[in-house]
């Protein structure tokens, strides 16, 4: 069971935006994870001094990625939210990546999204509008984050919102199976 199973949170909102459940807010050194048995978020690990999440990080309910977990999404925010926050987001792109652990390599893409509310429309509409230096830094964060946990994270491409939407549909199909 995943956090979204218990609460019946749909993958998408009626307005077409995507739901993301934030597990780790921007600026946090603590990585949180939903514990199915306890039915709450717990601290999964603490990042080294000087390392923190660059933006809100979470997962999309009702999806399954190649790694067997819900699809990951990094939500570009100016101000952190909180653990367990449900955000409606617009997908703007994806960092495609391979992750290797114990000689096993699989895809572990990171969807890039922007929060949207009826009164707060996102400035960024496409991953190409995100400064290259920011995308480079995000990739480097995931490379370093995985390295300290004994995994290799290798970015293999950056794609726009159409690729992100395809990945979302694939993840939704995998969840239903």
């Amino acid at each position: 069971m995943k956090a979204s199973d218990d609460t019946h949170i749909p993958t998408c909102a009626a307005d077409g935006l995507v739901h993301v459940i934030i597990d780790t807010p921007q600026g946090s050194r603590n990585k949180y994870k939903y514990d199915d048995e306890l039915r709450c978020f717990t601290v999964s690990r603490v990042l080294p001094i000087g390392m923190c999440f660059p933006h809100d990080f979470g997962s999309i309910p009702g999806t399954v990625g190649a790694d067997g977990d819900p699809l990951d999404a990094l939500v570009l925010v100016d101000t952190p939210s909180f653990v367990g926050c449900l955000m409606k987001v617009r997908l703007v792109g994806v960092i495609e990546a391979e992750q290797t652990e114990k000689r096993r390599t699989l895809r572990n893409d990171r969807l890039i999204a922007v929060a949207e509310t009826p009164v707060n429309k996102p400035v960024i509409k496409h991953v190409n509008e995100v400064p290259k230096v920011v995308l480079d830094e995000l990739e480097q964060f995931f490379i370093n984050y995985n390295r300290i946990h004994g995994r290799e994270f290798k970015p293999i491409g950056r794609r726009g919102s159409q690729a992100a939407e395809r990945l979302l549909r694939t993840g939704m199909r995998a969840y239903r199976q």
Side-chain angles (χ1 to χ4, degrees):
M1 183 190 333
K2 303 292 180 213
S4 58
D5 293 338
D6 183 45
T7 55
H8 305 291
I9 298 170
T11 303
C12 297
D15 56 11
L17 295 175
V18 176
H19 285 140
V20 172
I21 300 170
I22 302 302
D23 61 47
T24 306
Q26 174 189 33
S28 179
R29 282 185 53 213
N30 291 337
K31 170 67 172 101
Y32 299 95
K33 186 172 186 174
Y34 190 78
D35 184 307
D36 295 325
E37 192 174 305
L38 296 174
R39 301 177 102 167
C40 66
F41 285 90
T42 61
V43 175
S44 155
R45 61 186 52 110
V46 178
L47 299 181
I49 292 175
M51 187 174 190
C52 63
F53 277 78
H55 292 280
D56 282 2
F57 186 75
S59 60
I60 300 175
T63 64
V64 174
D67 63 354
D69 292 333
L71 292 175
D72 295 319
L74 187 76
V75 183
L76 304 177
V77 293
D78 293 328
T79 305
S81 63
F82 56 90
V83 176
C85 179
L86 176 66
M87 273 195 195
K88 289 187 352 182
V89 304
R90 182 167 308 283
L91 299 177
V92 297
V94 59
I95 296 173
E96 297 175 328
E98 293 177 338
Q99 184 174 301
T100 303
E101 182 175 17
K102 298 178 184 170
R103 298 185 198 184
R104 181 173 169 234
T105 300
L106 51 86
R107 287 291 291 270
N108 200 356
D109 300 335
R110 302 291 194 242
L111 291 165
I112 306 297
V114 291
E116 184 169 331
T117 74
V119 295
N120 303 103
K121 301 299 181 191
V123 175
I124 294 171
K125 305 266 194 253
H126 192 277
V127 74
N128 291 342
E129 296 172 359
V130 178
K132 181 183 179 309
V133 68
V134 171
L135 292 172
D136 291 343
E137 289 172 353
L138 293 177
E139 288 178 353
Q140 195 61 50
F141 169 78
F142 287 116
I143 289 167
N144 292 330
Y145 174 84
N146 281 280
R147 182 181 300 129
I148 63 174
H149 299 297
R151 301 181 297 250
E152 179 187 5
F153 183 87
K154 180 181 175 188
I156 57 174
R158 295 174 184 168
R159 304 279 181 258
S161 57
Q162 289 180 336
E165 293 287 339
R166 279 192 303 274
L167 188 62
L168 177 67
R169 287 191 300 274
T170 300
M172 290 169 70
R173 278 192 303 273
Y175 180 82
R176 288 190 297 264
Q177 295 176 347

